[in-house]
Amino acid sequence: MPLHLNNLAKTQIFNLEDEKTKDIYAFAWDDQNINILKYNKSLFLANQFTDYIKMEANRNLIGATVNTDQKPTLYWISGNNKNVLITTYDLDYKTSKSLNFDFPKNHDHIINTFQEHNVFYILAKEKEFEHLLLYRFENKKCEIKMLDFSPFTFKNKQNVTISFNALIQYFPIKKMESDSFNPIDLASQISKCYVVDDHLILTFDDRVERTLVFEVDLKTGTMKDRIFNHPVSKSPLRTANSFYNDNKLFQVAANKDELLFEVKDFDYKTTIKKFSFSKNDSIPFKSSPFFVQTNNKKPQQLKTTAKFLKDLDGLTAGISILKNKKNTFITFSGFGESLDYYFRSDSPEEFGVREYYSVSKMVFFDAMLNENFDFASDKQSEPLAIDNVFYFLRANKKITLYDVLKLKNDRILSYYDDASKQFFMRKFTDGFMIEQNRNSIINKSTFSNPATFGKINSH
């Protein structure tokens, strides 16, 4: 599809599936135009519309929905994050209409945005109070629900009670993707959120004893809380964390002597499976070696469980889950980042000026659970569709502007080729991509491994 985009530094590509018609929309915009491409479920171009950027200038696209009349709506946030421009596009008549939404005075900052069943949501912080605000945008209306966390107790790593506001200030809530790989630095966060089946799941692993979970009904705004105790070790735990997936809560805990892992039913809080491994045990079901990596250097292998637990000590444990059909793929990990410094030799000061830089460290290994939640070897398993997407992107490193859309069983990669001025959409499925019945994907930790890290403190 020929497509010319200006100023790629100010460009986004965004995909959306209409859940009712299964049509796929691609939005590509620059500093002059917004291009809307509509494809049917067979990926044939059905309609398109290019509209001039007007009030959308100097804004960022944060979400999209499709209304009951099959008209896409885009949500554009202002530079100061105080206003959302809601623009609905009519592809048949080539017109657009916009509404402005101003955040109320008690709005502080945006935590996350997401779309669920053609409804757009903004999760935000309310000023001063121990509340979050949930904005629900549907049919040109916005409902605001208040989520009150003031009755609950939270602690920091020194086991000192802190406020909810302090907790999410130092440990911001990060959104996890249930149907994609989550980088290790994200999986190690202690404050997480998940969106599934018109519910928002918030989990807080602020202490090694338990996971505090809140389940929010997105339609009504009602909130339920529940506590899941972490696995218990013979020695005091040093770190613990959790991950929600498919109505299960997966918990990992560790110290220098032991690695513990449990799978729990989310509704009944019952333990489905539990595992424990001492530093003297081997873990034969690993689908990758133990790895340790400092900054973005090449990962180094660790030979024993004891060495893995030693390197994990002092880091924040993490666990990432991806379910595909009957199997559940797991990355066990630990992540931490600290500041170090050196003295500049060219400094006019007698002892030099300190130059600070961040040092990140991670440890990780992969494993797989079968449908009975028993560990199994994945040596014969085929790559997932998302594996193949990343494999394609790594083989085509010049692709820098893209988006990935998950369908029921496949993935759609949309990307822009600046050299040919073409817009492409490719469908990826599970299975091997090349004729030799093998893929150069060695292990899934390659994709869990982030290329760069933000300023994330270990805790």
Side-chain angles (χ1 to χ4, degrees):
M1 172 72 189
L3 183 66
H4 180 74
L5 294 176
N6 303 289
N7 188 11
L8 293 185
K10 186 65 175 178
T11 306
Q12 285 176 273
I13 287 180
F14 191 85
N15 289 134
L16 177 69
E17 181 189 26
D18 186 335
E19 295 181 2
K20 295 181 179 179
T21 66
K22 303 305 178 183
D23 292 327
I24 296 173
Y25 291 83
F27 309 97
W29 69 281
D30 54 28
D31 57 349
Q32 298 180 20
N33 301 304
I34 169 70
N35 302 278
I36 304 176
L37 308 174
K38 178 182 178 181
Y39 296 84
N40 62 24
K41 60 182 179 181
S42 299
L43 292 187
F44 287 106
L45 185 65
N47 208 339
Q48 65 183 107
F49 177 36
T50 298
D51 198 17
Y52 291 111
I53 291 288
K54 310 181 195 74
M55 294 179 289
E56 297 88 352
N58 300 318
R59 290 174 177 262
N60 288 316
L61 180 61
I62 58 172
T65 56
V66 180
N67 64 21
T68 54
D69 297 326
Q70 298 181 33
K71 296 177 182 178
T73 297
L74 299 183
Y75 300 83
W76 305 83
I77 190 75
S78 62
N80 60 8
N81 293 332
K82 293 183 178 180
N83 171 273
V84 178
L85 182 70
I86 306 170
T87 306
T88 300
Y89 300 87
D90 190 319
L91 274 64
D92 294 326
Y93 292 95
K94 313 304 181 189
T95 59
S96 60
K97 295 182 180 180
S98 297
L99 296 172
N100 272 291
F101 174 79
D102 292 318
F103 288 108
K105 293 182 179 180
N106 61 330
H107 169 89
D108 188 22
H109 66 274
I110 293 175
I111 295 174
N112 280 297
T113 62
F114 54 92
Q115 181 263 359
E116 176 75 353
H117 299 322
N118 278 333
V119 180
F120 182 65
Y121 297 89
I122 295 178
L123 182 65
K125 181 68 184 70
E126 184 178 21
K127 290 182 179 178
E128 299 178 0
F129 298 99
E130 307 280 291
H131 303 154
L132 296 182
L133 298 176
L134 181 66
Y135 298 87
R136 175 187 171 95
F137 295 87
E138 185 180 22
N139 298 326
K140 300 180 181 180
K141 297 180 181 179
C142 178
E143 296 181 358
I144 306 175
K145 304 293 184 181
M146 185 187 72
L147 309 179
D148 185 11
F149 294 88
S150 60
F152 302 96
T153 302
F154 302 90
K155 293 188 177 184
N156 62 12
K157 61 182 180 181
Q158 285 81 28
N159 207 34
V160 176
T161 300
I162 60 173
S163 66
F164 175 74
N165 289 354
L167 176 75
I168 64 171
Q169 178 183 354
Y170 292 105
F171 308 113
I173 300 171
K174 299 296 183 179
K175 184 174 179 292
M176 301 293 112
E177 301 299 333
S178 300
D179 53 10
S180 185
F181 294 109
N182 290 272
I184 288 173
D185 58 332
L186 282 181
S188 69
Q189 297 299 298
I190 69 170
S191 305
K192 302 184 182 77
C193 71
Y194 312 77
V195 180
V196 56
D197 295 333
D198 283 320
H199 285 80
L200 176 68
I201 309 296
L202 296 159
T203 64
F204 299 94
D205 289 275
D206 55 315
R207 62 187 82 172
V208 295
E209 292 85 10
R210 55 99 173 115
T211 303
L212 179 58
V213 178
F214 299 91
E215 182 180 8
V216 181
D217 188 313
L218 292 174
K219 293 182 178 180
T220 64
T222 56
M223 185 169 69
K224 300 178 182 178
D225 66 281
R226 63 193 77 176
I227 292 176
F228 292 81
N229 293 324
H230 277 141
V232 178
S233 175
K234 298 176 183 178
S235 303
L237 292 173
R238 296 274 292 174
T239 183
N241 215 324
S242 68
F243 198 95
Y244 172 88
N245 187 277
D246 193 30
N247 214 42
K248 308 290 187 300
L249 190 71
F250 299 80
Q251 293 178 301
V252 61
N255 51 38
K256 289 183 178 180
D257 300 317
E258 197 172 16
L259 178 69
L260 305 169
F261 173 60
E262 292 187 1
V263 183
K264 293 178 179 175
D265 183 277
F266 187 73
D267 292 325
Y268 299 102
K269 299 198 302 181
T270 54
T271 299
I272 299 173
K273 290 285 182 176
K274 61 168 56 179
F275 304 89
S276 64
F277 308 98
S278 77
K279 64 180 180 180
N280 298 319
D281 294 332
S282 62
I283 304 181
F285 54 78
K286 300 194 313 297
S287 55
S288 79
F290 294 123
F291 284 111
V292 59
Q293 182 178 12
T294 303
N295 293 334
N296 293 318
K297 298 178 182 179
K298 183 180 179 179
Q300 302 296 315
Q301 291 190 25
L302 299 170
K303 294 183 178 181
T304 65
T305 305
K307 289 183 178 180
F308 176 82
L309 291 174
K310 182 179 179 181
D311 275 271
L312 175 62
D313 192 55
L315 305 180
T316 302
I319 182 172
S320 184
I321 303 294
L322 177 61
K323 185 175 181 180
N324 185 61
K325 299 177 182 177
K326 295 181 179 180
N327 295 326
T328 301
F329 299 96
I330 307 175
T331 297
F332 293 94
S333 62
F335 177 81
E337 190 175 51
S338 60
L339 286 177
D340 204 346
Y341 64 88
Y342 65 90
F343 290 103
R344 287 177 49 186
S345 59
D346 60 345
S347 171
E349 301 290 337
E350 181 178 358
F351 297 103
V353 175
R354 290 181 178 180
E355 286 286 342
Y356 287 90
Y357 61 96
S358 63
V359 177
S360 61
K361 179 182 177 181
M362 65 168 65
V363 294
F364 56 94
F365 72 93
D366 291 338
M368 186 182 78
L369 296 176
N370 61 24
E371 58 186 319
N372 297 319
F373 296 99
D374 292 317
F375 280 108
S377 170
D378 74 341
K379 293 180 181 180
Q380 302 300 318
S381 68
E382 295 183 339
L384 309 180
I386 190 64
D387 285 324
N388 290 325
V389 169
F390 283 119
Y391 177 73
F392 178 83
L393 290 173
R394 284 174 178 262
N396 298 269
K397 296 182 179 180
K398 292 184 179 180
I399 298 175
T400 57
L401 188 64
Y402 66 89
D403 190 31
V404 180
L405 175 67
K406 184 182 185 301
L407 303 182
K408 184 177 181 180
N409 297 313
D410 306 317
R411 301 292 175 119
I412 300 296
L413 172 66
S414 299
Y415 64 95
Y416 180 67
D417 187 332
D418 186 39
S420 63
K421 308 298 181 185
Q422 295 277 330
F423 178 80
F424 294 93
M425 298 186 78
R426 290 178 179 267
K427 179 183 289 187
F428 292 84
T429 60
D430 295 343
F432 291 96
M433 291 175 56
I434 55 182
E435 295 179 355
Q436 290 81 0
N437 197 35
R438 63 183 298 274
N439 202 328
S440 60
I441 301 170
I442 298 175
N443 57 70
K444 297 170 189 61
S445 61
T446 302
F447 306 112
S448 302
N449 193 0
T452 57
F453 305 103
K455 293 184 177 180
I456 302 174
N457 297 320
S458 60
H459 41 78

